[in-house]
Every structure is written in C-alpha cells, then in structure tokens.
Amino acid sequence: MRSCTRSDSGRPRKRVAEHKFGGSTIALDKRSAKSFIRINDRIRAREIRVIDENGEQIGILTPFDALKLAKERGLDLVEVSPTAIPPVCRIQDYGRFLYEKEKSDRAARKKQKVIVIKEVKFSVTVDEHDYQTKKNQAVRFLNEGDKVKASLRFRGRQMAHRELGYKIINRLIGDLSEAGVVEFMPRMEGTILHAIVAPSKKEGASKPKPSAPPEQPAAAAPKTAQA
C-alpha cells in the first residue's frame, strides 16, 4: 500500500511504502528498496527454509506459517538467501539486520584500495626544470600508491619528429624505474603519446640475516692440586 500526503505548504511529501501485517504497519525505508531485500509478506516463494533468531534451523515452512511464527516472537521474516532452493529466510529484527549489514559493508569498503590514475603532461619542447618538476610529481604519486599516466601532445609540425616525444617518455620511464613498473608501453593515440606506470609492489619480508657462529666457551682454568 502506498500513501502520499501533502504538507501544509501544499507540496507532496515523500511516499513511504507500507505493508500491513496483522494490526501493525511496517514502513519500508529507502535502504530496503535499494537492496531489494524481501521481508514479511513480500516473500513470494511457495516454501522457504526458516532459521530462527538464535541461528537454529526450524525447517521448511510456507511463508504464511513462517510469518505467523515471526509475529508471535515480535520479529520480522527476512529473506537472506533468495537464490537458494528453497530460499532461506531468517526470523530477526529487520532494523538490526540493516544496521549490521551496513556496518559490514562499511568495513569492507575501508579495506578496498582505490587505484587512481594521475596524469603528468609533457611537451616536445619541455625544458629541464619543468621535466624534473613533473618527474618528481610522478614519483610522489607512485609512492602514494597511484598509477601515473605520462602523456605528450604533438602540435602541428611536431608530428614529423615523434622520436623526440618517445625520447622524453622513455627517459621518464627510466627515471621512475625504482618507484614503478611500466603497465602500458609508450603508444600513440591520435596526436598524443602516452604510457602508464604502476606502483612497484612492496618487497616482502627482508631476508633473514645469517646467524652468527656460536661463541666458543671459554677454556676452563686448570684446577690446582690440593695438598
């Protein structure tokens, strides 16, 4: 059932999807709409495998019987594995289920490393100072874990001297050899020559140092003969 009311200013308020179960009405927020999680009477399978709030398997029931059982316990029926045969549903607090799911999703996103490609641009007529500045930028990007795209645009008659552009890009690749590895060798795309350098993988644990030879025990002093 969908409801739409108007505020005092005459503007329509946000619609909230609702469904009724027994005498109570449960509003479905945007989070459930985005994740397409079926709960309660939105579960359409003929039979479902039911797990209770303690993680114990109840067995295979119809959604009607499972929902009745969830209501008796003051909880919701949540479809946690829709692709299983039959689908798996759990009796639990739906609000807490969403909270735990978002918490685990945030933790997973924090562990992900987002690789960014940062570009440094050159020209055929680049001077030494400008080259060194852009090279240092590329080294910093690589040390921060980002990829570097080195690009050089040929203008007008410069296309007749493409070897000059290759010389600059190949020089840069050599200068970045300690901080990165070439992912894409220099190649032309239209009037632009470019190459991509990725960060070098960090070396593993250092090799164990050779152990020092065991110290020889000091020679025992000769015992003096007792009278």
Side-chain angles (χ1 to χ4, degrees):
M1 176 181 179
R2 292 182 177 273
S3 62
C4 180
T5 58
R6 291 184 176 274
S7 62
D8 297 337
S9 60
R11 296 180 180 177
R13 294 176 179 172
K14 294 181 180 179
R15 293 185 175 181
V16 178
E18 298 179 345
H19 68 277
K20 292 185 177 181
F21 179 71
S24 61
T25 301
I26 302 175
L28 304 180
D29 58 14
K30 292 181 179 180
R31 293 177 296 177
S32 61
K34 289 182 179 180
S35 56
F36 300 102
I37 299 172
R38 297 185 182 92
I39 67 170
N40 297 336
D41 56 2
R42 298 176 67 193
I43 300 172
R44 301 300 184 185
R46 293 183 178 180
E47 291 182 331
I48 56 175
R49 187 178 300 277
V50 183
I51 301 174
D52 68 9
E53 64 275 21
N54 299 317
E56 301 292 334
Q57 289 200 28
I58 296 177
I60 297 177
L61 303 175
T62 64
F64 178 82
D65 292 335
L67 188 54
K68 182 179 178 181
L69 184 61
K71 181 189 175 184
E72 291 173 353
R73 301 183 183 188
L75 298 171
D76 300 302
L77 184 65
V78 182
E79 188 178 54
V80 294
S81 182
T83 58
I85 302 177
V88 179
C89 299
R90 183 165 183 165
I91 296 174
Q92 59 186 334
D93 186 310
Y94 180 57
R96 183 172 182 81
F97 168 77
L98 287 180
Y99 170 77
E100 295 293 342
K101 186 174 184 300
E102 289 186 357
K103 185 178 179 181
S104 62
D105 290 345
R106 284 196 301 269
R109 286 194 296 269
K110 287 182 180 179
K111 293 181 180 179
Q112 293 178 348
K113 171 61 179 176
V114 179
I115 301 296
V116 178
I117 299 180
K118 296 187 176 180
E119 186 175 15
V120 287
K121 298 181 180 181
F122 295 86
S123 65
V124 175
T125 57
V126 62
D127 58 34
E128 183 62 21
H129 180 268
D130 194 22
Y131 172 84
Q132 292 296 333
T133 300
K134 294 183 185 249
K135 182 202 75 173
N136 293 336
Q137 284 182 346
V139 171
R140 178 166 55 85
F141 295 153
L142 291 171
N143 290 336
E144 291 174 352
D146 298 322
K147 295 183 181 181
V148 171
K149 178 181 179 181
S151 61
L152 186 148
R153 181 185 293 275
F154 295 94
R155 301 181 184 276
R157 296 181 180 180
Q158 292 176 352
M159 284 293 289
H161 303 282
R162 283 182 287 181
E163 71 279 0
L164 298 178
Y166 276 92
K167 183 178 179 181
I168 294 172
I169 298 299
N170 285 327
R171 178 190 175 188
L172 178 70
I173 291 174
D175 290 342
L176 299 179
S177 59
E178 293 185 1
V181 293
V182 181
E183 191 171 84
F184 290 103
M185 293 299 292
R187 62 184 179 186
M188 290 290 301
E189 287 188 3
T191 61
I192 298 177
L193 173 67
H194 69 86
I196 295 180
V197 181
S200 297
K201 294 182 179 179
K202 295 182 179 180
E203 296 181 359
S206 58
K207 295 181 179 180
K209 297 180 180 179
S211 57
E215 296 181 358
Q216 296 293 335
K223 295 181 180 180
T224 59
Q226 294 180 357

